[in-house]
């Protein structure tokens, strides 16, 4: 039986391992911390293909000074000397045009269309977890703030998605999201999307990998990957392990392992923050506030509040100001929320590429592959990416949906 080593136990790495097992591989997953320890645990958990769109758009050109100087900006770039960071920002902004947005959306759409069926396959195959199919509530203080979001939805539909979307009133929205205050005057309902508890889903996925004969080893750090014909990985202990196939799925930490293997696309940590709060009345549907970039999801009887995009190094310290900024943006639009007794405060480093496309496929090193760079969409696209990369490894055939994600582009 061929043996595969997968580095990274987030949604992307675990999905790759699970689908490799479908192709008869013996798999071992290694993670320096543990299951869902990177950006998989505390994110909003949205399985929302209708919102899985390019991050860079033309509105960013008017947003630049805010990102640098407004402490409460949804996008935060630290004003400090960092040539690598500013080089990434320049390349990222080069894609903030209508033409680039459409080109990227066209490349993402086939993966978006296959995202939800891949979750269904995992569950049907034995993963003891669930997805929640509910309408999402989208809200704005005034109609003029909705233009950009409506254009994004129209763009997703134009490229082939079916995104049920309709205007609703506050009373209807409050039936599932009673936290909304009367200040939220413009509201929409978006169907066809789902959500999960991402940490719990990853734990269930890891358990099923083990049930099927694989291993998931936590607290093991890989510091190097090499290959002539048979790939090998070096652990922080100095130990070497070999396998027939190695897959690197370490999110924002990808570059340290694959830069020497021909993968030169910069992966920048776009750090997101979240926490959970108690609400006076239960919230049963996700709520999105596009103007302030805040996503809220029902979570274990509470409400998880997630937001911000912070371009820093992935291992930098938690920045409490970012949590305060999320509250600053959200509290005026909500009521019946206990903001003072937060739980589950978290920061996760999402792996962002300049062109907004993931890195899924072969490196220059024989039998070494990459699965990462999904930006904010690693949870929703993780299972499909894992499925199609496993197919590529086992058969040599690259599915059209991941062809644009070539790590050597």
């Amino acid at each position: 039986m061929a043996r595969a080593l997968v580095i990274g136990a987030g949604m992307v790495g675990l999905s790759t391992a699970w689908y490799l097992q479908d192709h008869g591989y013996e798999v071992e997953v290694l993670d320096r911390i543990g299951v869902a320890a990177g950006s998989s645990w505390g994110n909003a958990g949205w399985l929302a293909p209708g919102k899985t769109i390019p991050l860079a758009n033309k509105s960013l050109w008017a947003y630049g000074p805010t990102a640098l100087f407004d402490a409460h900006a949804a996008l935060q770039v630290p004003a400090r000397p960092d040539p690598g960071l500013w080089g990434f920002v320049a390349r990222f902004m080069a894609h903030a045009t209508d033409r680039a947005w459409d080109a990227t959306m066209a490349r993402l759409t086939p993966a978006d269309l296959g995202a939800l069926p891949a979750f269904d396959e995992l569950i049907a195959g034995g993963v003891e977890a669930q997805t929640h199919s509910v309408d999402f509530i989208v809200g704005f203080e005034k109609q003029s703030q909705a233009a950009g979001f409506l254009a994004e939805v129209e763009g997703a539909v134009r490229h082939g998605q079916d995104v049920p979307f309709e205007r609703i009133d506050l009373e209807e929205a409050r039936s599932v999201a009673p936290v909304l205050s009367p200040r939220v005057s413009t509201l929409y309902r978006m169907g066809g999307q789902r959500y999960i508890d991402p940490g719990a889903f990853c734990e269930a996925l890891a358990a099923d990998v083990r049930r099927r004969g694989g291993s998931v080893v936590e607290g093991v750090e890989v510091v190097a990957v090499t290959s002539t014909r048979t790939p090998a990985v070096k652990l922080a202990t100095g130990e070497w392990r070999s396998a027939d196939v190695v897959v690197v799925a370490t999110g924002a930490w990808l570059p340290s392992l694959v830069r020497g293997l021909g993968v030169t696309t910069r992966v920048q940590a776009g750090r997101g923050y979240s926490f959970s709060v108690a609400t006076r009345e239960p919230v049963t549907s996700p709520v999105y506030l596009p103007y302030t970039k805040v996503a809220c999801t029902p979570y274990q009887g509470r409400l998880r509040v997630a937001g911000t995009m912070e371009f820093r190094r992935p291992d930098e310290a938690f920045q409490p100001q970012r949590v305060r900024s999320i509250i600053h943006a959200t509290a005026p639009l909500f009521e019946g929320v206990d903001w003072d007794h937060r739980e589950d405060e978290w920061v996760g480093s999402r792996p962002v590429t300049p062109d907004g496309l993931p890195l899924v496929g072969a490196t220059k090193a024989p039998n070494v592959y990459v699965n990462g760079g999904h930006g904010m969409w690693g949870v929703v696209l993780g299972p499909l990416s894992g499925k199609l990369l496993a197919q590529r490894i086992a058969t040599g055939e690259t599915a059209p949906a991941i062809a644009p994600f070539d790590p050597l582009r």
Side-chain angles (χ1 to χ4, degrees):
M1 179 182 290
R3 185 165 181 269
L5 277 174
V6 178
I7 309 169
M11 182 68 81
V12 172
L14 290 168
S15 296
T16 306
W18 194 92
Y19 276 107
L20 281 169
Q21 289 177 307
D22 265 5
H23 288 279
Y25 282 80
E26 176 188 350
V27 302
E28 182 176 20
V29 183
L30 307 176
D31 195 280
R32 67 188 182 113
I33 300 175
V35 171
S39 59
S40 290
W41 184 84
N43 62 79
W46 286 13
L47 310 184
K51 272 294 296 156
T52 304
I53 60 177
L55 295 178
N57 60 68
K58 65 181 181 181
S59 69
L60 291 178
W61 289 104
Y63 198 78
T66 303
L68 288 173
F69 303 116
D70 183 351
H72 295 303
L75 172 63
Q76 203 266 337
V77 183
R80 64 188 182 194
D82 187 336
L85 171 61
W86 292 110
F88 166 82
V89 170
R91 292 190 291 275
F92 184 76
M93 291 301 296
H95 290 86
T97 66
D98 286 342
R99 181 177 180 180
W101 192 96
D102 274 308
T104 302
M105 191 69 229
R107 292 170 173 84
L108 281 173
T109 295
D112 289 351
L113 293 174
L116 297 182
F119 276 90
D120 294 336
E121 287 180 2
L122 292 175
I123 294 168
V127 177
E128 295 185 356
Q130 60 181 324
T131 67
H132 304 277
S133 299
V134 296
D135 292 334
F136 285 33
I137 303 300
V138 183
F140 305 87
E141 281 193 81
K142 49 190 176 182
Q143 179 65 44
S144 61
Q145 295 176 345
F149 180 78
L150 296 176
E152 291 174 350
V153 172
E154 187 277 329
V157 172
R158 187 174 68 251
H159 284 278
Q161 290 201 51
D162 178 20
V163 187
F165 198 70
E166 63 178 336
R167 183 81 179 261
I168 59 174
D169 61 27
L170 180 61
E171 182 180 1
E172 193 169 1
R174 284 175 59 87
S175 69
V176 293
V179 292
L180 290 165
S181 82
R183 286 185 60 170
V184 186
S185 66
T186 302
L187 288 147
Y188 296 87
R189 176 168 50 216
M190 183 167 69
Q193 320 301 308
R194 308 183 197 175
Y195 74 90
I196 59 171
D197 176 339
F201 199 102
C202 286
E203 290 285 359
L205 185 50
D208 207 55
V209 168
R210 292 181 174 118
R211 180 187 66 81
R212 301 166 96 203
S215 61
V216 180
V217 185
E218 302 175 308
V220 176
E221 183 177 5
V222 174
V223 296
V225 179
T226 64
S227 179
T228 50
R229 184 176 58 186
T230 300
V233 304
K234 182 181 181 181
L235 308 185
T237 60
E239 176 189 352
W240 285 89
R241 295 190 188 179
S242 61
D244 298 287
V245 168
V246 168
V247 178
V248 183
T250 52
W253 293 266
L254 272 173
S256 64
L257 294 179
V258 301
R259 188 180 295 112
L261 308 179
V263 182
T264 58
T265 298
R266 179 172 174 110
V267 177
Q268 170 65 46
R271 306 196 327 162
Y273 287 74
S274 73
F275 53 89
S276 71
V277 290
T279 58
R280 187 170 56 222
E281 299 178 70
V283 178
T284 57
S285 284
V287 177
Y288 184 39
L289 305 174
Y291 195 71
T292 55
K293 311 297 185 187
V294 173
C296 306
T297 313
Y299 174 71
Q300 299 183 7
R302 295 167 65 84
L303 185 67
R304 172 171 279 172
V305 183
T308 203
M309 174 68 77
E310 176 190 56
F311 289 150
R312 289 181 179 268
R313 290 182 289 274
D315 287 315
E316 286 194 45
F318 183 95
Q319 306 289 316
Q321 170 61 34
R322 304 312 297 155
V323 169
R324 292 193 291 270
S325 296
I326 294 171
I327 296 171
H328 174 84
T330 311
L333 307 181
F334 281 5
E335 57 187 26
V337 175
D338 185 358
W339 298 106
D340 295 326
H341 296 89
R342 300 182 298 278
E343 297 179 5
D344 313 304
E345 288 192 347
W346 171 90
V347 61
S349 294
R350 299 165 295 199
V352 181
T353 60
D355 62 5
L357 295 174
L359 304 168
V360 184
T363 71
K364 287 185 176 179
N367 301 311
V368 177
Y369 299 83
V370 169
N371 197 351
H374 294 80
M376 294 175 63
W377 319 126
V379 167
V380 61
L381 296 182
L384 181 77
S385 295
K387 173 185 177 178
L388 298 184
L389 180 60
Q391 175 184 305
R392 163 70 178 82
I393 292 168
T395 69
E397 299 177 2
T398 299
I402 60 168
F405 305 162
D406 183 357
L408 304 180
R409 62 179 183 272

